[in-house]
Amino acid sequence: MSLMRCVALWGALGLTSGCLKSAEAVKVEQAVKALPPEEADLLVLTDERVLVKDGVTFPIGEANVEARCLPALNAVVTVMNKTDVKLLVEGHTDDTGGPEANQSLALARAAAVKKYLEDKGIAGDRLNIVGYGPEKPIASNDTDAGRAKNRRVEFKVRR
């Protein structure tokens, strides 16, 4: 079903939220589909998010972008070059350490990724950053593997 038909159907039903994607998210989805398979395979789209399949993750207490993350970040650059979308770069930490230190670290991780994207030619006004610290874990902080997944940066498509 086309986006316009989906919007019309949801409107006719009086619904204001649900599975609808924003126009910006649709642009990103189309740009990802146009990538070469080896780049497209690095990214995962979920609703309003552009996720790196293997994650943009960080070692404990660090905010430096690791070389293993660069191919996926370069795919994000390609998508942004093919669209006019704006992204929110969200920094996260695990739950070890104090709240203030985690907040600063989460923001530093988001800033490091933003700087990388800017260095690749993406205009800074298309990227906002936020640090969530340990507030939004995607895995349990009870294990080393879970904490490693939580030390990450994610991208949200901005409207």
Side-chain angles (χ1 to χ4, degrees):
M1 175 182 295
S2 74
L3 179 61
M4 291 307 291
R5 280 190 73 185
C6 190
V7 169
L9 176 62
W10 279 87
L13 294 173
L15 303 173
T16 58
S17 64
C19 66
L20 294 180
K21 292 181 182 176
S22 69
E24 291 83 2
V26 171
K27 289 177 190 177
V28 170
E29 184 175 53
Q30 291 169 344
V32 170
K33 287 180 181 177
L35 291 174
E38 63 275 4
E39 284 186 305
D41 288 344
L42 299 172
L43 303 177
V44 178
L45 301 176
T46 62
D47 296 328
E48 300 288 317
R49 296 195 177 277
V50 179
L51 301 177
V52 173
K53 190 175 280 183
D54 293 328
V56 178
T57 57
F58 298 83
I60 296 170
E62 293 188 23
N64 297 320
V65 177
E66 293 190 316
R68 65 174 180 70
C69 298
L70 299 184
L73 290 176
N74 290 337
V76 171
V77 168
T78 302
V79 167
M80 291 196 73
N81 282 332
K82 292 179 181 236
T83 67
D84 60 353
V85 299
K86 297 178 180 182
L87 295 178
L88 178 62
V89 183
E90 302 175 336
H92 302 271
T93 66
D94 60 28
D95 68 350
T96 58
E100 289 179 18
N102 277 333
Q103 182 62 32
S104 294
L105 182 57
L107 197 56
R109 288 173 175 167
V113 169
K114 178 183 180 186
K115 181 180 181 329
Y116 181 82
L117 298 176
E118 287 176 327
D119 289 349
K120 292 294 185 176
I122 303 303
D125 63 353
R126 294 179 62 198
L127 303 163
N128 283 22
I129 61 171
V130 65
Y132 288 115
E135 295 173 23
K136 298 183 177 190
I138 58 170
S140 171
N141 277 305
D142 294 335
T143 66
D144 289 342
R147 285 188 295 275
K149 289 179 182 178
N150 291 331
R151 296 187 301 267
R152 71 195 188 282
V153 163
E154 293 182 352
F155 303 97
K156 182 175 183 184
V157 178
R158 291 180 18 220
R159 293 180 190 226

